[in-house]
Amino acid sequence: MNVLVCDKTEKECIEQMRAAGLTVDTRFEITPEELMTVAPAYDVLVVRSRTKVRQPLIDACPNLKLIVRGGVGLDTIDVEYARSKGIEVRNTPLASSDSVAELTIGYLFMLARSLYKASETMKAEKWEKKAFEGDEIGGKTLGLIGVGNIGKATARRAVALGMKVIAYDPYVQAFEYGQLVSLDDLLAQSDYISLHLPKTKETTNMIGAEQFARMKNGVRIVNCARGGIIDENVLYEALISGKVAGAALDVFAEEPPTDWRLVKLDNVIASPHIGAATKEAQGRVGAEVAEIVIAFARK
Ligand code: NAD
């Protein structure tokens, strides 16, 4: 079975697949145009978030049997279309949950204490002690939108830090770390709001002007899920007006952004989609990818 690995993947993963007798080629920098000509020779495509597998590519690959997304979000793959053609689509749902949850918690602290600004002023040789009175996160209400693997991992940590956790997720029946509430109640009650839901047609721009209007003044927002679930233009205005005191963004509607206005605001902390970028998560992703591909080949 021929496997093409289209994005950077742990070398142990590649070695394991080769040791299992598979022919594995790596093209970590492959462009979409090159992929269209190269991919038809393969039975399996391994991708991360960089490589998109859309309908035209699927149509161009008559031998394709399996697409493995190392990571969580399947929004980069035309999953239904692939499955309608008998192609199996798999991801590694649990591998990065703890890493993303840790980044989220780190962001809560950074927002509460303006650590990014404090550090910047120190580097500029300024001692602005009085400018940095922050808040404790203990005792504050954290509203989680989406409580699947990452939402729950974040909730467990937040509760341990003394936060009150509430959650909105229309697809879960039970949540052990706090109360499940309506979206309107979550928006009205939360001091911090953190997103942990997939980007779908239903969730694109689901946090827009109407939702911001319902939030507490001075709310802080973390998005380590997907860009474009929050309407970035509305968020920009809310950060300028002070309705939102601060936002921490790991993901963007366009990556990398072409419009950097939002990122450059003083009350925004940003990172280049690094939620899963830890040695531990990458190791787990690689191991799971190898396991999925090898098991598939042996079926
Ligand atoms: P998951 O599937 O385990 O959980 C997602 C939850 O969202 C589910 O419980 C689902 O019921 C809920 N949900 C779906 N639609 C909803 C809606 N309209 N309103 C509220 N809740 C809704 O996924 P996960 O592993 O917890 O991942 C969550 C998000 O984090 C995804 O968008 C994923 O792509 C993203 N992610 C980001 C990074 C990163 O590097 N920043 C890494 C991994 C995952």
Side-chain angles (χ1 to χ4, degrees):
M1 197 166 270
N2 294 330
V3 182
L4 178 65
V5 182
C6 307
D7 295 312
K8 191 159 184 347
T9 298
E10 295 284 286
K11 96 173 174 310
E12 289 78 7
C13 168
I14 315 288
E15 283 164 4
Q16 274 176 35
M17 291 192 287
R18 286 184 179 146
L22 303 174
T23 305
V24 184
D25 295 327
T26 57
R27 294 287 301 272
F28 295 165
E29 308 289 328
I30 196 163
T31 65
E33 295 73 31
E34 289 169 333
L35 192 58
M36 282 298 278
T37 57
V38 169
Y42 291 90
D43 306 290
V44 179
L45 293 180
V46 173
V47 299
R48 307 299 305 272
S49 58
R50 189 191 70 98
T51 297
K52 317 277 181 281
V53 187
R54 299 294 177 208
Q55 193 168 327
L57 179 64
I58 294 168
D59 285 338
C61 296
N63 304 325
L64 192 58
K65 297 172 186 67
L66 172 68
I67 303 166
V68 185
R69 157 77 163 100
V72 180
L74 288 170
D75 48 325
T76 46
I77 299 173
D78 285 342
V79 178
E80 292 315 318
Y81 186 70
R83 286 184 179 148
S84 77
K85 299 215 120 190
I87 299 164
E88 204 171 308
V89 182
R90 300 282 303 274
N91 63 350
T92 60
L94 288 168
S96 55
S97 306
D98 286 344
S99 292
V100 183
E102 286 190 9
L103 180 68
T104 303
I105 297 290
Y107 268 156
L108 296 179
F109 281 119
M110 285 180 80
L111 287 169
R113 303 298 291 269
S114 299
L115 286 179
Y116 53 108
K117 273 195 236 163
S119 178
E120 265 172 29
T121 54
M122 289 292 284
K123 285 177 199 295
E125 301 182 10
K126 290 181 192 160
W127 186 263
E128 295 183 344
K129 190 172 163 73
K130 294 219 167 62
F132 292 106
E133 187 183 75
D135 303 294
E136 292 180 351
I137 63 167
K140 302 296 185 304
T141 299
L142 171 64
L144 298 174
I145 305 183
V147 279
N149 295 319
I150 299 172
K152 275 191 269 183
T154 302
R156 190 169 74 242
R157 289 163 170 81
V159 166
L161 292 166
M163 299 189 87
K164 176 184 173 190
V165 175
I166 57 176
Y168 166 69
D169 189 327
Y171 304 107
V172 302
Q173 269 72 51
F175 176 57
E176 59 200 293
Y177 300 104
Q179 204 189 345
L180 283 171
V181 297
S182 67
L183 180 59
D184 281 354
D185 285 347
L186 180 140
L187 297 170
Q189 291 171 25
S190 300
D191 302 300
Y192 292 83
I193 295 174
S194 186
L195 273 64
H196 300 287
L197 69 168
K199 186 176 184 183
T200 61
K201 275 198 196 111
E202 171 205 17
T203 65
T204 299
N205 287 334
M206 79 178 255
I207 308 298
E210 209 181 296
Q211 288 66 38
F212 278 99
R214 293 182 201 280
M215 293 176 195
K216 280 188 182 178
N217 292 330
V219 63
R220 292 177 172 117
I221 297 181
V222 179
N223 187 3
C224 291
R226 277 292 178 270
I229 298 175
I230 299 178
D231 183 323
E232 288 182 349
N233 292 321
V234 181
L235 175 62
Y236 179 84
E237 295 304 329
L239 283 155
I240 297 265
S241 73
K243 171 80 192 182
V244 174
L249 308 171
D250 185 48
V251 287
F252 302 87
E254 200 184 347
E255 294 183 356
T258 46
D259 177 354
W260 295 87
R261 281 182 317 150
L262 181 61
V263 168
K264 286 184 179 174
L265 288 178
D266 259 1
N267 46 358
V268 169
I269 324 171
S271 48
H273 201 145
I274 57 166
T278 63
K279 289 183 197 68
E280 291 81 359
Q282 293 310 303
R284 286 191 292 263
V285 167
E288 260 189 70
V289 166
E291 203 177 295
I292 292 168
V293 176
I294 294 167
F296 184 86
R298 285 183 180 154
K299 264 205 287 199

